[in-house]
Amino acid sequence: MKFNKPQTLKEIASLINTDFIGDENFEILGINEIHVVEKGDIVFVDHPKYYDKALNSAATTILINKKVDCPEGKALLISDDPFRDFNKITKHFNPFIASKESIAESAIIGEGTVIQPNVFIGNNVKIGKNCVIHPNVTIYDNSVLGDNVTIHANTVLGADAFYYKKRPEGYDKLISGGRVVIENNVDLGASCTIDKGVTGDTTIKEGTKIDNQVHVGHDTVIGKKCLIASQTGIAGCVIIEDEVTIWGQVGTNSGITIGKGAIILGQTGVTKSVAGGKSYFGTPIEESREKLKQIAGLKRLLKEK
């Protein structure tokens, strides 16, 4: 998530009431999670296990819960609760604005696009040309849709990420400040749910077709010309490369990659990253030919008994 204008280290430290290490005029351009950080971003870390990863990431400001040596060319914000203060920054620069109408005045809708009754379109949404948005679709703030996109009834774009920190008093939510981006010629079936990124974009690329009742978690990127069948659940931060086929009732772990042209057969649990150009089946996931051989072998053993 980028700020509307650059901020200084001192300004951000004052906002969240923390100490800092570095030049008070050090430039900060936005905030992001570790897997999408860029130069100018703040990243937060609150566990020693991940200190090195955060300090050596592309982020140039690290919001951290311990005073450590500051890497050259970077700055530190020292907080007793980086998770809390990361939320403060998100809410300050991307506050929730309640809608007053079904289609926000700030929404931009392209020529030839059809909006059916009972559709909600939030603030600063951009929709391209010749799209069809069917009844009861909800498109949250800041979502971006390309041309020739079809979205069927009851689908929701831009709900919050499922991201919580466990505390003694319960679960503390990480505020979502990202977007959903749908490229040209994408079809989404009925009752799909596409969560926004925590700080970046959840993206569905050009030409992909998604069936009914599919869930896509935060910050996931689905490539071009993929086919995804109904009742599939894709976790957050997954990368699905181009031309992947996923059949019904597949579930994935977070943070994995499915390679280009892979085929995931129905009811498979994608528990790890898999290479492209192959067919996979089962839980734990294996190449489908090998899995079917194992099942056949097990049947033979049972018959022999």
Side-chain angles (χ1 to χ4, degrees), residues 123-238:
N123 300 301
N124 305 311
V125 169
K126 297 178 182 177
I127 300 176
K129 299 177 181 178
N130 302 316
C131 299
V132 180
I133 314 298
H134 285 284
N136 301 317
V137 167
T138 296
I139 304 176
Y140 282 63
D141 294 357
N142 304 311
S143 298
V144 178
L145 282 66
D147 299 335
N148 305 307
V149 171
T150 299
I151 304 179
H152 286 280
N154 301 313
T155 283
V156 177
L157 305 185
D160 287 345
F162 189 73
Y163 194 136
Y164 294 86
K165 181 180 180 67
K166 189 174 184 180
R167 299 189 187 273
E169 64 274 16
Y171 290 99
D172 194 3
K173 182 178 184 176
L174 187 63
I175 304 298
S176 298
R179 308 183 300 173
V180 169
V181 176
I182 308 293
E183 295 187 355
N184 298 340
N185 303 309
V186 168
D187 292 350
L188 300 178
S191 299
C192 294
T193 49
I194 317 296
D195 289 349
K196 72 180 76 171
V198 171
T199 55
D201 295 336
T202 302
T203 304
I204 301 176
K205 294 188 176 180
E206 185 170 358
T208 283
K209 313 298 182 184
I210 295 180
D211 197 0
N212 304 327
Q213 297 177 328
V214 170
H215 174 72
V216 179
H218 68 89
D219 296 286
T220 282
V221 177
I222 298 176
K224 297 179 180 179
K225 295 188 286 186
C226 295
L227 286 175
I228 301 177
S230 64
Q231 298 182 9
T232 289
I234 300 168
C237 304
V238 172

Side-chain angles (χ1 to χ4, degrees), residues 256-269:
I256 64 167
T257 297
I258 299 176
K260 180 178 179 180
I263 298 172
I264 311 297
L265 300 182
Q267 297 190 328
T268 292

